[in-house]
Amino acid sequence: MSEASLRLLEDARRRYQAGLRSRAARICRRIPEGDAYYPRALELLGTIRLEERAYREAAELLSAAARALPDKARIWKLLGDATGRLGRSPMAVLCLRRAAVLMPGAFATVRGLADLAPANKRKRLFRRCSILSPLDRNTHLQQGLDLRQAGRYAAAARCFRRVLALDPADADQTFRLANTLMDLQDIDGGAKFYLRTLRIAPGSGAARNNLGLIDFEKEEFESAEQWFRSASAAAPGLAEAWRNWTRALSKLERYADAVAPCRRGLVMEPENQAASGDMAALTQTRDWAKRAMALGPDTTEFCNTMAVAAARSPGRSGVWPWLHRSAIANPANPEVWFKLSSESSRTSDVDAVVRFGRRATFISDDYASARNNTAFALLSQERFREGWQIFTRRLETAEGRDIQRHFTIPQWRGEELDGRHLLLWGEQGIGDEVQYLTLLKHVLRRGPKVTVISEPRLRPLIRRSFPAVVVPEAAPASGETEDHYGADVHLAMGDLPHRLDLFCGGRAKPEPWIVPDPARVASLRSDLRARHAGKRLIGISWRSEAPKTGEQRTVRPELWSEIAHIPGNALISLQYSLREEDIQAFRNARIDVSADHGVDTLGDLDGLAALIAAMDMVISPANNTVHFAGAAGVPTWVMLTARPNWPWGLHRDDSLWYPETRTFRQETDGDWGPVLSSVADSLRAYGG
């Protein structure tokens, strides 16, 4: 019978390889029990039943085959697979180990053991799998999934990159790599692979949603809204996209437009308290607020949403109660305390800003925005020793990391500088650089060689003002290690006050430093005096371009009328980004402002410095112009909002940074009228 059985077995194998599994199984069953080829027939039958997911029968057939052929590794491997599928993991591991002993280099066996192994042993087994079969996609994928679950995001990303090297068109793994890069805070890398996901799978709503989240965190709300809208269209069942679209529209103050996506999200997630809270905030109705509270009374997210909604009401009267409820609901949430700190700054309660900000950073030391709030409040209170220390960590925000420069030399910590080489680098706006450079004269008197990396438009001015200082043509911060120009130590300009103990016991004092082009000053002043004979030349600017606070710091043209009509004065425009509508607005108010001096006050800062130096005085709200005027030693009157930036302090009528500067402050937020009247009265009495 053995020869006939062999022919049957070979026929069964041919049928199996041709995909005819049922016919192969019937032929196998014709081989009688006790025949020499019966165990091999059991092996093939067990293989077929395993592929047909009849795991219990497969295990029985393969167990019988293993008893008859105990030295055949393949049978033990298949039996391990079958028992593993039945949830009998210990038995499966024993079978696979037996297979591995019989055939140590069998990739499939090691992979089966890796799939069943506990977490502490999987890494070693998967490493062995990658050696046995370096091009096996699933091995690298499973390694990546395990590593990501363990929080080892960098190693996981490497595994996912190997998967994509083997299968570049795999949209799921491209998306997974993007998510892992986001776990690593590699925002640019994450965005790149989300975009690549869309090139592979244009209909990926999840990738569009996550790109929207990236822009949302950057406060680029218009771009975020477009991504969320397209995500909702691409994946209508993705409730998160509808809710995020709602949030973006709310940030754009398109509240009426936000109602429809909010409703759509609620259809999919009717018990989502946050979405109900969003609807309550959008519609300002009690019914939705009650529904949200019923779903989860006093949860932090709901309270915060209602606080945001209350901010739209006159006087922001409901903000405080909701934020307090949020803090009570979850006192361990640092964001709540940060919101309380920020709200306190609106009411000029600086002590509360510090108290709540410190609470936020006590809970989460890496909450950079809360720390900066605390530093600004302390500095505005002139509590300089505490404030400068906290201020040294100002660049830990996402925006700060983008402008941080990296060098292989150490930071200057305040030690002696005589004979050493100090590299100073600017790290904020032009006005900030101008302000901190008022300390450079003191630094130079301590004997170092100094190199300054500055904003390109400031470089000619710094070179003239400090002939001994090297000002290289440096590129913007890139995040990479940069050339340190032979320096021994480096320092961000904003850290100079801390190193010099400014205003808190140190000998340093800010000093005017700008040296404008004397020939250009003389030419401008001669021309302006010829056109405005016998009049005091008063340089003015009226608008700030600051993204968040520019509107509050802008004094509309018509408000200058009282100043403009004081006899003996000529108003000269120093306004950067001058617009034709600005000049027309002054004409409409019957105010004569001279703007035909020929200086590009935005692009030509050397020319701006010369124009300012040609003035008898400068009057302006707080913007870059007043920093230039103060640093040039020109008498400057600064008009401040009720809540000005920290360098101007809270109450003083002078400036610690610029000796020829006076301040005029709003009593009520947004009310410039009394400020302009006070400036006009002082101008009438000003002898110059």
Side-chain angles (χ1 to χ4, degrees), residues 384-385 500-508:
F384 292 112
R385 191 170 299 281
L500 299 174
D501 291 328
L502 186 66
F503 310 137
C504 53
R507 290 181 295 174

Side-chain angles (χ1 to χ4, degrees), residues 286-309:
R286 285 182 172 273
D287 287 346
W288 280 108
K290 288 178 181 178
R291 177 182 175 81
M293 292 180 71
L295 289 169
D298 288 344
T299 61
T300 297
E301 187 174 8
F302 169 67
C303 293
N304 289 347
T305 298
M306 297 310 295
V308 171

Side-chain angles (χ1 to χ4, degrees), residues 498-633:
H498 173 257
R499 301 301 195 268
L500 299 174
D501 291 328
L502 186 66
F503 310 137
C504 53
R507 290 181 295 174
K509 290 184 179 179
E511 302 171 64
W513 63 271
I514 289 179
V515 178
D517 182 340
R520 204 167 179 185
V521 174
S523 174
L524 285 165
R525 185 166 177 81
S526 174
D527 179 62
L528 289 168
R529 287 183 67 84
R531 286 190 282 142
H532 304 284
K535 292 186 177 182
R536 179 190 288 127
L537 300 179
I538 301 178
I540 69 167
S541 69
W542 51 91
R543 188 177 67 249
S544 169
E545 299 286 346
K548 295 182 179 179
T549 61
E551 184 177 352
Q552 294 95 310
R553 287 193 272 156
T554 294
V555 180
R556 299 190 311 277
E558 64 271 17
L559 296 175
W560 292 81
S561 181
E562 186 177 358
I563 292 173
H565 291 98
I566 297 174
N569 299 305
L571 302 187
I572 313 298
S573 171
L574 305 177
Q575 181 63 51
Y576 48 89
S577 300
L578 183 64
R579 304 166 186 163
E580 179 57 37
E581 55 261 37
D582 291 331
I583 299 303
Q584 187 59 50
F586 278 110
R587 291 194 190 110
N588 293 343
R590 298 186 179 182
I591 298 172
D592 183 19
V593 175
S594 176
D596 55 353
H597 41 64
V599 176
D600 175 7
T601 53
L602 178 64
D604 179 11
L605 297 187
D606 200 27
L608 173 62
L611 181 61
I612 287 172
M615 299 296 106
D616 294 306
M617 67 184 304
V618 170
I619 302 175
S620 171
N623 57 22
N624 285 345
T625 302
V626 300
H627 288 287
F628 274 84

Side-chain angles (χ1 to χ4, degrees), residues 395-467:
L395 297 182
E396 293 180 15
T397 62
E399 298 86 350
R401 287 191 293 270
D402 288 341
I403 58 176
Q404 176 84 49
R405 291 183 182 268
H406 304 275
F407 306 96
T408 56
I409 54 176
Q411 281 194 38
W412 179 51
R413 298 294 178 184
E415 67 273 14
E416 285 301 317
L417 283 171
D418 192 17
R420 305 192 77 195
H421 185 175
L422 171 64
L423 173 62
L424 283 175
W425 48 278
E427 27 88 12
Q428 296 185 56
I430 286 177
D432 299 285
E433 290 192 27
V434 171
Q435 175 183 313
Y436 295 130
L437 285 170
T438 60
L439 301 172
L440 185 51
K441 288 184 178 180
H442 175 83
V443 171
L444 289 168
R445 286 194 288 269
R446 295 180 64 162
K449 176 183 177 180
V450 174
T451 295
V452 172
I453 295 177
S454 179
E455 209 273 358
R457 289 175 293 167
L458 274 178
R459 290 169 189 167
L461 201 51
I462 298 173
R463 289 175 181 135
R464 182 187 306 105
S465 302
F466 299 103

